[in-house]
Amino acid sequence: VQLVESGGGTVQAGGSLTLSCTFSGFNFDDYVIGWFRQAPGKEREGLASIANTEDSTHYRGSAKGRFTISIDNAKNTVYLRMNNLKPEDTAEYHCAADWDAMSWYELLVMGEYDFRGQGTQVTVSS
């Protein structure tokens, strides 16, 4: 099983970035995949999740209204589009996968997951 994030970088406040999470080794139909971030001195924050279910996407906190999660099934890649970025969005961003497509709460709120990528750094300058 592997999850590989990419797309991080440095952007000015107000700008946008799209992060990618390419996964392999498991069937997306059985999992929920999400993004969380970790900044130095701050708690880990769950952002968004997606699954192949009827109620497929969920967002928390800072991600609501500014971030969009999506998937390209043909490429086994989950994206996180981030708009109107702010300096407080600076963090290392990780994607993670949790078995059971209904377990978005465990992943986003409780921070429980089965697999996680190494992360990609996002820096937002003011």
Side-chain angles (χ1 to χ4, degrees), residues 44-124:
R44 181 173 57 190
E45 181 182 9
L47 298 170
S49 68
I50 189 167
N52 191 15
T53 60
E54 182 174 347
D55 186 17
S56 63
T57 61
H58 292 85
Y59 297 89
R60 292 195 71 230
S62 304
K64 292 181 179 179
R66 294 191 298 132
F67 296 178
T68 303
I69 192 169
S70 62
I71 186 168
D72 184 332
N73 285 290
K75 296 183 178 179
N76 275 6
T77 299
V78 171
Y79 303 97
L80 186 69
R81 174 68 176 178
M82 306 186 294
N83 295 324
N84 190 24
L85 284 163
K86 305 173 183 180
E88 51 265 41
D89 293 317
T90 295
E92 187 165 73
Y93 285 68
H94 296 265
C95 64
D98 195 39
W99 183 81
D100 184 355
M102 300 295 291
S103 62
W104 67 268
Y105 186 88
E106 284 79 359
L107 194 154
L108 290 188
V109 179
M110 300 177 67
E112 298 176 354
Y113 51 83
D114 295 307
F115 310 107
R116 191 197 81 174
Q118 291 299 309
T120 185
Q121 177 68 33
V122 172
T123 301
V124 184

